Structures are given as C-alpha cells and as structure tokens.
Amino acid sequence: MSSKSLPFTRAQLEAIAAAVPTPFHIYDEAAIRANARAFYAAFDWVPGGFKNYYAVKALPNPHILDVLKAEGMGGDCSSLAELKLCAAAGLSGESIIFTSNDTPAHEYRAAAELGAIINLDDLSHIGFLETALGGRLPEFLCCRYNPGPLKAGNAIIGKPEEAKYGFTREQLIEGYRLLQQKGVRRFGLHTMVASNELNPAYFVETAQMLFDLAVELHRELGLRLEFINLGGGIGIPYRPEQPRVDLAALGVQIKAAYDATIVAAGLAPIRLAMECGRMVTGPYGYLVSRVIHKKKTYKNYVGLDACMANLMRPGMYGAYHHISVPGRAGSEGGGATLCCDVTGSLCENNDKFAIDREIPEPEVGDLLVIHDTGAHGHSMGFNYNGKLRSAELLWQGTDAQGAPRWRLIRRAETYADHFATLDYPGLTTQ
Ligand SMILES: *Cc1c(COP(=O)(O)O)cnc(C)c1O
C-alpha cells in the first residue's frame, strides 16, 4: 500500500469541518502557485512568450481563476458560462481563448465581444462565425487541427480519427487560405489530442507535428503564425507509484524541436501556448468526507457522506483516486488495514470511490480524504437523488500558532437552491 501526502493534519481538518460540514473540496493555494511557476519556468525560453490558458472546465471557480491569473495564466473556455467566469475574474481580450465545438452563434458573439481569441472547430464555422458577427470576422483567428491517423490519441480522448473535433489537414490549408482572402491578418494554430497523458514524448511529438505544419503553412500560403497552441492534456499521477511529467525536461525537448524547425525556417518568433487544466489544479484538490457506516456482507463496505455527485470520475470511468485516512497509520505505519469498497449513498451500484481497495482501517466518524479532486471533481457534480453540491475551500497553510488558514470560495448548495426552479406549494427548503 503506497501512500500520498496531505498538506494538512487530521486536527486541522477537524477544525475546518467544525465550521464547514463534510463533504467539501479543499484546494491547496501554495501548491497550485508553486506548480504554475515551475510550468512557466519550463517555457521561459519561448521567443515572444508562453502562456497557459487554464481550461476553466476543470475547476470553474473564479477565486481559483484569480490565483491563476496572478500567476500569468489566461482562460480556455468552451461555453458561455466559462466566458462569464473569466470575464468576472478580470480576464479579457487575448488572455481568453474560446475553444468550443458545435458552437451556438450567441456564444461566438459573446466571445467576440470579450475580444477573446476564437479557435474555430471546423471549415464551415468560418462562414457561420462571419454570419454570427454580422458579416465581419475578427482580425485574429485560430484553427483547431485534428491530425486523424497521424496521431494515436489515448484512452480518455480516444483516437483523433474518431474525435468530433477540429479540421483535417486539407481543410486546415483551405481554411487559412479562406481566412486570408476574407482579410484576417493574425493567425493561431491549435490541436488537442491527448488527455491525462503522462508520457512526455507524446507532447514533444505533438509540438513537432505543429511546428512542421507551421512551416508548411508558410510555404503554401505565405502565412506567418503568431502563436501555436499545443493544447492541454498533461496528465497527473493519480496512482502513488506513477511518475509525474517532468515539466523542465519537457520544456527542453520542445525547445530543441522549436529551434530545429521554427527558428531554422526563419519563422521565429512564434509564441507558444498550452491549455492545461488537469495538471494545473488536479493534484492540489482533496475531497474531504466522513465515514458514516461500515458494513460487511459478501464484501467490506465503508460508506461516506460524500457520493458520486461530488466526484464522478471513479464511477464514470473507473478512474483511480487515492484515499487517505488522516490519523490512521495503515500498513506502512504498522496500523490495521481493510480491503473494502468505498461507497456513496446514490441508488446506483457504481457509486463507489474505490473497489477492493486496501486502505488504513477507518472507524465510523473518521475523516477520509480522496486525492486529486482539483480537476473535474466539483465541476462534474450533479444532483441525482437530490444530492446537494458541496462547498469549496482554499487551503492557505497555517498561521504562526499552527492554526489552519482557509477561505470558503463556494458555499454548499441548499435545498432552497435545489428547489429554486420548481414552483410548487409545500416544498420545504430547510
Ligand atoms: C479539456 C480541454 C483542455 C484541458 O485538458 P486537460 O486534460 O485538463 O489539460 C484543453 N483544451 C480543450 C479544448 C479541452 O476541451
């Protein structure tokens, strides 16, 4: 049984839980900032600059966007709600990229009004956008490339050939030509072909593929790209034994490809961008819950006050999320362990955070922490069985006396919130 560390102690968590009942998600601000700085340091060599447009869907809380903005990040949005969150957090203009698909006209208009960089998903969207904007295209546009059979894809996002996103290579060349004819003067190139990928070579290959394409676009169309967006998809080690992506080494390898291709072709400076979400906040979020039942039938079960509505990934695609029981030693510390299913209360048998998992044996009433919930945790929440969405907190370390410092960045939903769209007499909201 390997372990993962926690930034807080059981006593500190109990002090927080006395003020904010479990379950809740809590995000470690200092760790998010340190990782953001390491990410930027790895790409500080890029001529013209590097920016990560944080994929807002991973953790759509404006207080988190405040932190990321202060670290130099922009926002990657794929919906109107995400654009509104970025605007509220003071992100605007070219610090937002709008990468959507199957996009409604009013969302394109909202993105254009904010001055966001619009990333087109299809050749037909050029005319669609032009119509949506009353006949005028923005001066800066980006196109999303789908490399199809040239790229293997991976388990979460699937094979590029099967993916609904982006232009084929031929369409891309035709698309940029059309944009040039329509008077667009500034161009970006984008792809997003992996999700939760831990192999750094994958990103180097993707970068090389886009750099080669930049050279080809210049040769064919005389087009000078202003920026190349390598997409997101850098994975995180959900399992304790997995290695994390070495960002510094990744930066060095991408630099070698950039120098050999972009610089050598005389196309520098071309700015580089990414739109990572998961690796920016994922490892720094924790779902804190309490054990409310233990049962033993054909198997052992540990029942929590959290459920799949707080974290959908294990139930939806069998994703591994590590579990700690603060204050219980587990096998490494000579304590008792239990092999069990860790469950929530939904009337769905896939409402399980772990199956046949050996964990430090908890007692009823113990706190239990599920790791790596800072991306696609709260944000994928839902209300099945009338479960209310939890609070979100920001962990800010401890004061000189060791007392926890934290901030509530979203209160928990109430029954009044839950029933707000129903007009029906006698529904109680307490
Ligand atoms: C989800 C998404 C991202 C972010 O992916 P991560 O795996 O969180 O890095 C980036 N770009 C687009 C278009 C996306 O849909």
Side-chain angles (χ1 to χ4, degrees), residues 55 57 76 99 144 192 195-196 232-234 275-278 376:
K57 68 171 188 266
D76 166 37
T99 297
R144 179 172 188 163
M192 166 81 194
S195 183
N196 196 28
I234 295 181
E275 40 185 44
C276 290
R278 187 190 310 271
H376 318 121

Side-chain angles (χ1 to χ4, degrees), residues 201-217:
Y202 196 92
F203 298 97
V204 180
E205 272 171 38
T206 301
Q208 184 66 59
M209 175 185 80
L210 293 180
F211 297 163
D212 289 340
L213 193 53
V215 172
E216 188 183 332
L217 289 169

Side-chain angles (χ1 to χ4, degrees), residues 284-351:
Y284 314 113
Y286 305 84
L287 173 58
V288 179
S289 66
R290 207 176 279 285
V291 176
I292 57 173
H293 294 287
K294 281 171 82 174
K295 73 180 263 185
K296 181 167 170 44
T297 51
Y298 306 102
K299 303 175 84 162
N300 291 309
Y301 294 95
V302 168
L304 305 183
D305 60 3
C307 69
M308 189 180 168
N310 303 109
L311 177 68
M312 173 141 86
R313 300 185 73 257
M316 181 156 101
Y317 24 60
Y320 181 95
H321 278 262
H322 199 69
I323 291 175
S324 291
V325 186
R328 301 272 173 204
S331 56
E332 284 168 5
T337 63
L338 181 72
C339 184
C340 59
D341 287 10
V342 179
T343 72
S345 62
L346 295 189
C347 302
E348 277 292 339
N349 196 42
N350 65 344
D351 184 13

Side-chain angles (χ1 to χ4, degrees), residues 113-324:
E113 275 159 27
L114 278 172
I117 302 169
I118 292 178
N119 189 18
L120 296 167
D121 188 63
D122 188 54
L123 188 55
S124 69
H125 286 210
I126 294 173
F128 184 88
L129 178 66
E130 197 174 27
T131 307
L133 301 184
R136 258 191 76 235
L137 287 173
E139 64 152 12
F140 190 2
L141 280 172
C142 187
C143 297
R144 179 172 188 163
Y145 174 44
N146 180 332
L150 293 180
K151 202 78 188 147
N154 75 358
I156 291 188
I157 211 163
K159 284 164 65 176
E161 274 175 286
E162 304 286 335
K164 64 177 176 171
Y165 312 110
F167 295 56
T168 68
R169 195 179 185 86
E170 294 68 35
Q171 290 171 339
L172 199 68
I173 291 169
E174 196 183 333
Y176 283 115
R177 182 178 288 125
L178 187 59
L179 292 176
Q180 284 176 318
Q181 285 164 4
K182 288 182 180 289
V184 174
R185 288 284 157 261
R186 300 172 58 207
F187 301 95
L189 170 64
H190 166 270
T191 199
M192 166 81 194
V193 284
S195 183
N196 196 28
E197 181 59 59
L198 284 169
N199 178 5
Y202 196 92
F203 298 97
V204 180
E205 272 171 38
T206 301
Q208 184 66 59
M209 175 185 80
L210 293 180
F211 297 163
D212 289 340
L213 193 53
V215 172
E216 188 183 332
L217 289 169
H218 181 249
R219 202 173 46 229
E220 293 253 333
L221 305 173
L223 184 126
R224 305 276 309 207
L225 288 173
E226 191 171 313
F227 93 144
I228 295 176
N229 182 343
L230 308 174
I234 295 181
I236 61 173
Y238 285 102
R239 293 175 185 271
E241 69 277 11
Q242 286 174 320
R244 48 185 297 166
V245 173
D246 180 342
L247 295 172
L250 182 64
V252 168
Q253 286 177 281
I254 292 181
K255 180 177 192 304
Y258 187 98
D259 288 345
T261 312
I262 300 295
V263 176
L267 294 179
I270 299 180
R271 287 181 285 128
L272 291 187
M274 290 195 79
E275 40 185 44
C276 290
R278 187 190 310 271
M279 70 81 106
V280 175
T281 49
Y284 314 113
Y286 305 84
L287 173 58
V288 179
S289 66
R290 207 176 279 285
V291 176
I292 57 173
H293 294 287
K294 281 171 82 174
K295 73 180 263 185
K296 181 167 170 44
T297 51
Y298 306 102
K299 303 175 84 162
N300 291 309
Y301 294 95
V302 168
L304 305 183
D305 60 3
C307 69
M308 189 180 168
N310 303 109
L311 177 68
M312 173 141 86
R313 300 185 73 257
M316 181 156 101
Y317 24 60
Y320 181 95
H321 278 262
H322 199 69
I323 291 175
S324 291

Side-chain angles (χ1 to χ4, degrees), residues 90-109:
L91 290 169
S92 63
E94 294 179 11
S95 53
I96 302 177
I97 184 159
F98 185 57
T99 297
S100 60
N101 69 92
D102 191 21
T103 314
H106 74 278
E107 296 202 358
Y108 269 143
R109 277 194 292 275

